[in-house]
Coordinates of all heavy atoms in Angstrom, one line a residue:
E108 N 27.8 10.9 10.2 CA 26.6 11.7 10.1 C 25.6 11.0 9.2 O 25.8 10.7 8.0 CB 26.8 13.0 9.5 CG 25.8 14.1 9.7 CD 26.2 15.5 9.2 OE1 27.2 15.9 9.5 OE2 25.3 16.0 8.4
V109 N 24.3 10.9 9.7 CA 23.3 10.3 8.9 C 22.5 11.3 8.2 O 22.0 12.3 8.8 CB 22.3 9.3 9.8 CG1 21.3 8.7 9.0 CG2 23.2 8.4 10.5
E110 N 22.3 11.2 6.8 CA 21.5 12.1 6.1 C 20.0 11.6 6.1 O 19.7 10.6 6.0 CB 22.0 12.1 4.6 CG 23.2 13.1 4.4 CD 23.5 13.3 3.0 OE1 22.5 13.5 2.2 OE2 24.6 13.3 2.6
E111 N 19.2 12.7 6.3 CA 17.8 12.5 6.4 C 17.2 12.2 4.9 O 17.6 13.0 4.0 CB 17.0 13.5 7.1 CG 17.2 13.7 8.5 CD 16.5 12.5 9.3 OE1 15.4 12.2 9.0 OE2 17.2 12.1 10.3
A112 N 16.4 11.3 4.8 CA 15.7 11.2 3.4 C 14.9 12.3 3.2 O 14.1 12.7 4.1 CB 15.1 9.8 3.3
P113 N 14.8 12.8 2.0 CA 13.8 13.9 1.7 C 12.4 13.5 1.9 O 12.0 12.4 1.7 CB 14.1 14.4 0.2 CG 14.9 13.3 -0.3 CD 15.5 12.4 0.8
A114 N 11.6 14.5 2.4 CA 10.1 14.2 2.8 C 9.4 13.7 1.6 O 8.4 12.9 1.7 CB 9.6 15.4 3.5
C115 N 9.7 14.1 0.4 CA 9.1 13.7 -0.7 C 9.3 12.2 -1.2 O 8.6 11.6 -1.9 CB 9.4 14.7 -1.9 SG 11.1 14.5 -2.4
E116 N 10.4 11.7 -0.6 CA 10.7 10.3 -0.9 C 9.7 9.5 -0.2 O 9.7 9.4 1.1 CB 12.1 10.0 -0.4 CG 12.7 8.8 -1.0 CD 14.1 8.6 -0.7 OE1 15.0 9.4 -1.1 OE2 14.6 7.7 0.1
S117 N 9.0 8.6 -0.9 CA 7.9 7.8 -0.3 C 8.5 6.5 0.3 O 9.6 6.0 0.1 CB 6.9 7.4 -1.3 OG 7.5 6.4 -2.2
I118 N 7.8 6.0 1.3 CA 8.1 4.7 2.0 C 7.9 3.6 1.1 O 7.0 3.7 0.3 CB 7.3 4.6 3.3 CG1 7.3 5.8 4.1 CG2 7.7 3.4 4.1 CD1 6.1 6.0 5.0
N119 N 8.7 2.6 0.9 CA 8.5 1.5 0.3 C 7.2 0.7 0.8 O 7.3 0.3 1.9 CB 9.7 0.6 0.3 CG 9.6 -0.7 -0.5 OD1 8.6 -1.4 -0.4 ND2 10.7 -1.0 -1.2
P120 N 6.2 0.4 -0.1 CA 5.1 -0.3 0.3 C 5.3 -1.7 0.9 O 4.7 -2.1 1.8 CB 4.2 -0.4 -1.0 CG 4.6 0.7 -1.8 CD 6.2 0.9 -1.5
F121 N 6.4 -2.3 0.4 CA 6.7 -3.7 0.9 C 7.3 -3.6 2.3 O 6.9 -4.5 3.1 CB 7.7 -4.3 -0.2 CG 7.1 -4.4 -1.6 CD1 7.5 -3.5 -2.5 CD2 6.4 -5.4 -1.9 CE1 7.0 -3.5 -3.8 CE2 5.9 -5.5 -3.2 CZ 6.2 -4.5 -4.1
V122 N 8.0 -2.6 2.5 CA 8.6 -2.4 3.8 C 7.5 -2.0 4.8 O 7.5 -2.6 5.8 CB 9.8 -1.3 3.8 CG1 10.2 -1.1 5.2 CG2 10.9 -1.9 3.0
F123 N 6.7 -1.1 4.4 CA 5.6 -0.6 5.2 C 4.7 -1.8 5.6 O 4.2 -1.9 6.8 CB 4.7 0.4 4.4 CG 3.7 1.0 5.2 CD1 3.8 2.2 5.9 CD2 2.3 0.6 5.3 CE1 2.9 2.8 6.7 CE2 1.4 1.0 6.0 CZ 1.7 2.1 6.7
F124 N 4.3 -2.7 4.6 CA 3.6 -3.9 4.9 C 4.0 -4.7 6.2 O 3.4 -5.0 7.1 CB 3.4 -4.7 3.6 CG 2.5 -5.8 3.7 CD1 1.2 -5.7 3.3 CD2 2.9 -7.1 4.1 CE1 0.3 -6.7 3.3 CE2 2.1 -8.1 4.2 CZ 0.7 -8.0 3.7
E125 N 5.4 -5.0 6.0 CA 6.1 -5.8 7.1 C 6.1 -5.0 8.5 O 5.9 -5.6 9.5 CB 7.3 -6.4 6.6 CG 7.1 -7.5 5.6 CD 8.4 -8.4 5.2 OE1 9.4 -7.7 5.4 OE2 8.2 -9.6 5.1
Q126 N 6.5 -3.8 8.3 CA 6.7 -2.9 9.6 C 5.6 -2.6 10.3 O 5.6 -2.2 11.4 CB 7.6 -1.8 9.2 CG 9.0 -2.1 8.9 CD 9.9 -0.9 8.5 OE1 9.3 0.2 8.4 NE2 11.1 -0.9 8.5
N127 N 4.4 -2.8 9.6 CA 3.1 -2.3 10.3 C 2.1 -3.3 10.7 O 1.0 -3.0 10.7 CB 2.5 -1.1 9.4 CG 3.2 0.1 9.5 OD1 3.0 0.9 10.4 ND2 4.2 0.4 8.5
G128 N 2.7 -4.5 10.8 CA 1.9 -5.6 11.5 C 0.9 -6.4 10.5 O 0.1 -7.1 11.0
F129 N 1.2 -6.2 9.2 CA 0.4 -7.1 8.3 C 1.0 -8.5 8.3 O 0.2 -9.4 7.8 CB 0.5 -6.5 6.9 CG -0.3 -5.2 6.6 CD1 0.3 -3.9 6.8 CD2 -1.6 -5.2 6.3 CE1 -0.3 -2.7 6.6 CE2 -2.3 -4.0 6.1 CZ -1.7 -2.8 6.3
G130 N 2.0 -8.7 8.7 CA 2.7 -10.0 8.7 C 3.9 -10.1 7.7 O 4.2 -9.0 6.9
A131 N 4.4 -11.2 7.6 CA 5.5 -11.4 6.7 C 4.9 -11.4 5.2 O 3.9 -11.8 5.0 CB 6.2 -12.8 6.9
I132 N 5.8 -10.8 4.3 CA 5.2 -10.6 2.9 C 5.8 -11.8 2.1 O 6.9 -12.0 2.0 CB 5.7 -9.3 2.4 CG1 5.0 -8.9 1.1 CG2 7.2 -9.2 2.1 CD1 5.1 -7.5 0.7
G133 N 4.8 -12.6 1.5 CA 5.1 -13.8 0.8 C 5.2 -13.4 -0.8 O 4.8 -12.2 -1.1
S134 N 5.6 -14.1 -1.6 CA 5.6 -13.9 -3.1 C 4.3 -13.5 -3.6 O 4.1 -12.8 -4.5 CB 6.3 -15.1 -3.7 OG 5.6 -16.3 -3.5
Y135 N 3.2 -14.2 -3.1 CA 1.9 -14.0 -3.6 C 1.4 -12.5 -3.3 O 1.0 -11.8 -4.3 CB 0.9 -15.0 -3.1 CG -0.5 -14.8 -3.5 CD1 -0.9 -15.0 -4.8 CD2 -1.6 -14.1 -2.7 CE1 -2.2 -14.8 -5.3 CE2 -2.7 -13.9 -3.1 CZ -3.2 -14.3 -4.4 OH -4.4 -14.0 -4.9
I136 N 1.6 -12.1 -2.2 CA 1.2 -10.8 -1.7 C 2.1 -9.8 -2.4 O 1.7 -8.8 -2.9 CB 1.1 -10.5 -0.2 CG1 0.1 -11.5 0.5 CG2 0.9 -9.1 0.2 CD1 -1.3 -11.3 0.1
S137 N 3.3 -10.1 -2.5 CA 4.3 -9.3 -3.1 C 3.9 -8.9 -4.6 O 4.1 -7.8 -5.1 CB 5.7 -9.9 -3.0 OG 6.6 -9.1 -3.6
E138 N 3.4 -10.0 -5.2 CA 3.1 -9.9 -6.6 C 1.8 -9.0 -6.7 O 1.7 -8.2 -7.6 CB 2.8 -11.3 -7.2 CG 3.0 -11.5 -8.6 CD 2.9 -13.0 -9.0 OE1 3.8 -13.7 -8.7 OE2 1.8 -13.4 -9.7
K139 N 0.9 -9.2 -5.8 CA -0.4 -8.5 -5.8 C -0.1 -6.9 -5.6 O -0.6 -6.0 -6.2 CB -1.3 -8.9 -4.7 CG -1.8 -10.3 -4.8 CD -2.8 -10.6 -5.7 CE -4.2 -10.4 -5.2 NZ -5.2 -10.8 -6.1
I140 N 0.8 -6.6 -4.7 CA 1.3 -5.3 -4.3 C 1.9 -4.6 -5.7 O 1.4 -3.6 -6.0 CB 2.2 -5.2 -3.2 CG1 1.5 -5.5 -1.9 CG2 2.8 -3.7 -3.1 CD1 2.4 -5.7 -0.7
S141 N 2.8 -5.3 -6.3 CA 3.4 -4.9 -7.6 C 2.3 -4.6 -8.7 O 2.4 -3.6 -9.3 CB 4.4 -5.9 -8.1 OG 5.4 -6.1 -7.2
T142 N 1.4 -5.4 -8.8 CA 0.3 -5.2 -9.8 C -0.4 -4.0 -9.5 O -0.7 -3.1 -10.4 CB -0.6 -6.6 -9.8 OG1 0.2 -7.6 -10.1 CG2 -1.6 -6.4 -10.8
W143 N -0.8 -3.8 -8.2 CA -1.6 -2.6 -7.8 C -0.7 -1.4 -8.0 O -1.3 -0.3 -8.5 CB -2.0 -2.7 -6.4 CG -3.3 -3.4 -6.3 CD1 -3.5 -4.7 -5.8 CD2 -4.7 -3.0 -6.7 NE1 -4.9 -5.0 -5.9 CE2 -5.6 -4.0 -6.4 CE3 -5.2 -1.7 -7.3 CZ2 -6.9 -3.9 -6.8 CZ3 -6.5 -1.6 -7.6 CH2 -7.3 -2.7 -7.3
I144 N 0.6 -1.4 -7.7 CA 1.5 -0.3 -8.0 C 1.5 0.0 -9.5 O 1.4 1.3 -9.8 CB 2.9 -0.5 -7.4 CG1 2.9 -0.6 -5.9 CG2 3.9 0.5 -7.9 CD1 4.1 -0.9 -5.2
D145 N 1.6 -1.0 -10.3 CA 1.7 -0.8 -11.9 C 0.3 -0.2 -12.3 O 0.3 0.7 -13.2 CB 2.0 -2.1 -12.5 CG 3.4 -2.6 -12.2 OD1 4.2 -1.8 -11.8 OD2 3.6 -3.8 -12.4
D146 N -0.9 -0.8 -11.7 CA -2.1 -0.2 -12.2 C -2.5 1.2 -11.7 O -3.2 1.9 -12.3 CB -3.2 -1.3 -11.7 CG -3.0 -2.6 -12.5 OD1 -2.3 -2.7 -13.4 OD2 -3.7 -3.6 -12.0
T147 N -2.0 1.5 -10.5 CA -2.4 2.8 -9.9 C -1.1 3.6 -9.7 O -0.5 4.1 -10.6 CB -3.2 2.6 -8.6 OG1 -2.5 2.0 -7.6 CG2 -4.5 2.0 -8.9
S148 N -0.6 3.7 -8.4 CA 0.6 4.2 -8.1 C 1.1 3.8 -6.8 O 0.3 3.2 -6.0 CB 0.5 5.8 -8.1 OG -0.4 6.2 -7.0
E149 N 2.4 3.9 -6.5 CA 3.0 3.4 -5.3 C 2.3 4.2 -4.1 O 2.0 3.6 -3.1 CB 4.5 3.6 -5.3 CG 5.2 2.9 -4.1 CD 6.7 2.9 -4.4 OE1 7.2 2.1 -5.1 OE2 7.4 3.7 -3.6
A150 N 2.2 5.5 -4.3 CA 1.6 6.4 -3.2 C 0.2 5.9 -2.9 O -0.2 6.0 -1.7 CB 1.6 7.8 -3.8
L151 N -0.6 5.6 -4.0 CA -2.0 5.1 -3.7 C -2.0 3.8 -2.9 O -2.9 3.7 -2.0 CB -2.8 5.0 -4.9 CG -4.2 5.3 -5.0 CD1 -4.4 6.6 -4.6 CD2 -4.8 5.0 -6.5
V152 N -1.2 2.9 -3.3 CA -1.1 1.6 -2.6 C -0.7 1.9 -1.1 O -1.3 1.3 -0.1 CB -0.1 0.6 -3.3 CG1 0.1 -0.6 -2.4 CG2 -0.7 0.3 -4.5
L153 N 0.3 2.7 -0.8 CA 0.8 3.0 0.5 C -0.3 3.7 1.3 O -0.6 3.4 2.4 CB 2.0 4.0 0.5 CG 3.0 4.1 1.5 CD1 3.3 2.6 1.9 CD2 4.1 4.9 1.1
E154 N -1.1 4.6 0.6 CA -2.2 5.3 1.3 C -3.3 4.3 1.8 O -3.8 4.4 3.0 CB -2.8 6.4 0.5 CG -3.7 7.3 1.1 CD -3.1 8.2 2.1 OE1 -2.0 8.5 2.3 OE2 -3.9 8.5 3.1
A155 N -3.6 3.3 0.9 CA -4.6 2.3 1.3 C -4.1 1.5 2.5 O -4.9 1.1 3.4 CB -4.9 1.4 0.1
M156 N -2.8 1.3 2.5 CA -2.3 0.5 3.7 C -2.3 1.3 5.0 O -2.7 0.8 6.0 CB -0.7 0.2 3.4 CG -0.5 -1.0 2.5 SD 1.2 -1.4 2.3 CE 1.2 -2.4 0.9
K157 N -2.1 2.6 4.8 CA -2.2 3.5 6.0 C -3.6 3.6 6.6 O -3.7 3.5 7.8 CB -1.6 4.9 5.6 CG -0.1 5.0 5.4 CD 0.2 6.4 5.0 CE 1.6 6.5 4.7 NZ 2.0 7.8 4.1
I158 N -4.5 3.5 5.7 CA -5.9 3.6 6.1 C -6.2 2.3 6.8 O -6.9 2.3 7.9 CB -6.9 3.8 4.9 CG1 -6.8 5.3 4.4 CG2 -8.3 3.6 5.2 CD1 -7.4 5.5 3.1
A159 N -5.7 1.1 6.2 CA -6.0 -0.1 6.9 C -5.4 -0.2 8.3 O -6.1 -0.6 9.3 CB -5.3 -1.2 6.1
V160 N -4.2 0.4 8.6 CA -3.5 0.5 9.7 C -4.3 1.3 10.8 O -4.6 0.9 12.0 CB -2.0 1.0 9.8 CG1 -1.5 1.3 11.1 CG2 -1.2 0.0 9.0
E161 N -4.8 2.5 10.2 CA -5.6 3.4 11.2 C -6.9 2.8 11.6 O -7.3 3.1 12.7 CB -5.9 4.7 10.3 CG -4.6 5.6 10.2 CD -4.8 6.7 9.2 OE1 -5.9 7.0 8.9 OE2 -3.7 7.3 8.8
N162 N -7.4 2.0 10.7 CA -8.8 1.3 11.1 C -8.6 0.0 11.8 O -9.5 -0.7 12.1 CB -9.6 1.0 9.8 CG -10.1 2.4 9.2 OD1 -10.4 3.3 10.0 ND2 -10.2 2.4 7.9
G163 N -7.2 -0.4 12.0 CA -6.9 -1.6 12.8 C -7.3 -2.8 12.0 O -7.6 -3.9 12.7
V164 N -7.3 -2.7 10.8 CA -7.6 -3.9 9.8 C -6.4 -4.2 9.0 O -6.4 -3.8 7.8 CB -8.9 -3.8 9.1 CG1 -9.4 -5.1 8.4 CG2 -10.1 -3.2 9.8
K165 N -5.5 -5.0 9.6 CA -4.2 -5.1 9.0 C -4.3 -6.4 8.1 O -3.5 -7.4 8.4 CB -3.1 -5.1 9.9 CG -2.9 -3.9 10.7 CD -1.9 -4.0 11.7 CE -1.9 -2.6 12.5 NZ -1.0 -2.8 13.8
T166 N -5.0 -6.4 7.1 CA -5.2 -7.6 6.2 C -4.9 -7.1 4.8 O -5.4 -5.9 4.4 CB -6.5 -8.3 6.3 OG1 -7.6 -7.5 5.8 CG2 -6.7 -8.8 7.7
W167 N -4.4 -7.8 3.9 CA -4.2 -7.4 2.5 C -5.6 -7.3 1.9 O -5.8 -6.5 1.0 CB -3.3 -8.4 1.7 CG -3.4 -8.0 0.2 CD1 -3.8 -8.8 -0.8 CD2 -2.8 -6.8 -0.3 NE1 -3.5 -8.0 -1.9 CE2 -3.0 -6.9 -1.7 CE3 -2.2 -5.8 0.2 CZ2 -2.6 -5.9 -2.6 CZ3 -1.7 -4.7 -0.6 CH2 -2.0 -4.8 -2.0
K168 N -6.5 -8.2 2.2 CA -7.8 -8.2 1.6 C -8.5 -6.8 1.9 O -9.2 -6.3 0.9 CB -8.7 -9.3 2.3 CG -10.0 -9.5 1.7 CD -10.9 -10.5 2.3 CE -12.2 -10.7 1.6 NZ -13.1 -11.7 2.4
Y169 N -8.3 -6.3 3.1 CA -8.9 -5.0 3.3 C -8.3 -3.9 2.5 O -9.0 -2.9 1.9 CB -8.7 -4.7 4.9 CG -9.4 -3.5 5.3 CD1 -10.9 -3.4 5.4 CD2 -8.7 -2.2 5.5 CE1 -11.5 -2.2 5.8 CE2 -9.3 -1.0 5.9 CZ -10.8 -1.1 6.2 OH -11.4 0.1 6.5
V170 N -6.9 -4.0 2.4 CA -6.2 -3.1 1.5 C -6.7 -3.1 0.1 O -6.9 -2.1 -0.6 CB -4.7 -3.2 1.6 CG1 -4.0 -2.3 0.6 CG2 -4.1 -3.0 3.0
E171 N -6.9 -4.3 -0.4 CA -7.4 -4.5 -1.8 C -8.7 -4.0 -2.0 O -9.1 -3.4 -3.1 CB -7.2 -6.0 -2.2 CG -6.8 -6.1 -3.6 CD -6.4 -7.6 -3.9 OE1 -6.9 -8.5 -3.4 OE2 -5.6 -7.7 -4.9
T172 N -9.6 -4.1 -1.0 CA -10.9 -3.6 -1.0 C -10.9 -2.1 -1.3 O -11.7 -1.6 -2.1 CB -11.8 -3.9 0.2 OG1 -11.8 -5.4 0.3 CG2 -13.2 -3.4 0.2
I173 N -10.1 -1.4 -0.6 CA -9.9 0.1 -0.7 C -9.4 0.4 -2.0 O -10.1 1.3 -2.7 CB -8.9 0.6 0.4 CG1 -9.6 0.4 1.9 CG2 -8.6 2.1 0.2 CD1 -8.5 0.7 2.9
L174 N -8.4 -0.3 -2.4 CA -7.8 -0.1 -3.8 C -8.9 -0.3 -5.0 O -8.9 0.4 -6.0 CB -6.6 -0.9 -4.1 CG -5.4 -0.5 -3.2 CD1 -4.3 -1.6 -3.3 CD2 -4.8 0.8 -3.7
R175 N -9.7 -1.3 -4.9 CA -10.7 -1.7 -5.7 C -11.7 -0.6 -5.9 O -12.2 -0.1 -6.9 CB -11.4 -3.0 -5.5 CG -10.7 -4.2 -6.0 CD -11.7 -5.4 -6.2 NE -10.8 -6.5 -6.5 CZ -10.4 -7.3 -5.4 NH1 -10.9 -7.1 -4.2 NH2 -9.7 -8.3 -5.6
D176 N -12.1 0.0 -4.7 CA -13.0 1.0 -4.6 C -12.5 2.4 -5.3 O -13.2 2.9 -6.1 CB -13.4 1.4 -3.1 CG -14.4 2.6 -3.0 OD1 -15.5 2.5 -3.5 OD2 -14.0 3.5 -2.2
W177 N -11.3 2.6 -5.1 CA -10.6 3.7 -5.7 C -10.4 3.6 -7.1 O -10.6 4.5 -8.0 CB -9.2 3.9 -5.0 CG -9.3 4.5 -3.6 CD1 -10.5 5.0 -2.9 CD2 -8.3 4.6 -2.7 NE1 -10.1 5.4 -1.7 CE2 -8.8 5.2 -1.5 CE3 -6.9 4.4 -2.7 CZ2 -8.0 5.4 -0.3 CZ3 -6.1 4.7 -1.6 CH2 -6.7 5.2 -0.4
A178 N -10.1 2.3 -7.6 CA -9.9 2.1 -8.9 C -11.2 2.3 -9.7 O -11.3 2.8 -10.8 CB -9.4 0.7 -9.3
D179 N -12.4 1.9 -9.1 CA -13.7 2.0 -9.7 C -14.1 3.5 -9.8 O -14.7 3.9 -10.7 CB -14.8 1.4 -8.8 CG -14.8 -0.3 -8.8 OD1 -14.0 -0.6 -9.6 OD2 -15.3 -0.9 -7.9
K180 N -13.5 4.2 -8.9 CA -13.8 5.8 -8.9 C -12.8 6.5 -9.8 O -12.9 7.7 -10.0 CB -13.7 6.4 -7.4 CG -14.9 5.9 -6.7 CD -14.7 6.4 -5.2 CE -15.9 5.9 -4.3 NZ -15.7 6.1 -2.9
G181 N -11.8 5.8 -10.4 CA -10.9 6.3 -11.3 C -9.7 7.1 -10.7 O -9.1 7.8 -11.4
Y182 N -9.5 6.8 -9.3 CA -8.3 7.5 -8.6 C -7.0 6.9 -9.2 O -6.9 5.7 -9.2 CB -8.4 7.4 -7.1 CG -9.6 7.9 -6.5 CD1 -9.9 7.7 -5.2 CD2 -10.6 8.7 -7.1 CE1 -11.0 8.3 -4.6 CE2 -11.7 9.2 -6.6 CZ -11.9 9.1 -5.2 OH -13.0 9.5 -4.6
Q183 N -6.0 7.8 -9.4 CA -4.7 7.3 -9.9 C -3.6 7.9 -8.8 O -2.6 7.4 -8.8 CB -4.4 7.9 -11.3 CG -5.2 7.1 -12.4 CD -4.8 5.6 -12.4 OE1 -3.7 5.3 -12.5 NE2 -5.9 4.7 -12.6
T184 N -4.0 8.9 -8.2 CA -3.0 9.5 -7.1 C -3.8 9.8 -5.9 O -5.1 9.8 -5.8 CB -2.4 10.7 -7.7 OG1 -3.5 11.8 -8.0 CG2 -1.5 10.5 -9.0
V185 N -3.0 10.1 -4.9 CA -3.6 10.3 -3.5 C -4.3 11.7 -3.6 O -3.8 12.7 -4.0 CB -2.5 10.4 -2.4 CG1 -3.1 10.8 -1.0 CG2 -1.8 9.0 -2.4

């Protein structure tokens, strides 16, 4: 029997990155993602990635643009 993960458990941003067509995750991007998670939150990084996927712009540059905008506005959580 497979147990379902609780809904509150977030998806790993690194896994999300690779599974949603951004491409293979290299050490450079991995480091950038980690830094953004430390500076903001895992949920915020994930949300920015989701927006990128929804807009069909699957690039880290686009995700980072969203995160910079949110950081400028002082957002820490979704």
Side-chain angles (χ1 to χ4, degrees):
E108 191 178 312
V109 178
E110 276 189 41
E111 289 291 319
C115 63
E116 196 175 292
S117 69
I118 310 153
N119 180 313
F121 302 96
V122 173
F123 185 90
F124 188 91
E125 290 197 323
Q126 287 182 346
N127 286 278
F129 287 93
I132 196 164
S134 59
Y135 177 73
I136 298 295
S137 180
E138 211 171 285
K139 301 280 274 184
I140 293 171
S141 293
T142 301
W143 276 106
I144 289 169
D145 292 344
D146 291 350
T147 59
S148 71
E149 193 169 283
L151 213 61
V152 172
L153 204 53
E154 191 60 28
M156 286 185 195
K157 286 178 185 174
I158 289 169
V160 170
E161 285 167 20
N162 290 326
V164 188
K165 297 174 187 176
T166 65
W167 174 250
K168 186 179 180 187
Y169 187 75
V170 174
E171 212 165 32
T172 301
I173 295 167
L174 289 168
R175 275 203 195 93
D176 180 55
W177 290 348
D179 290 346
K180 293 175 180 168
Y182 298 172
Q183 289 295 315
T184 57
V185 176

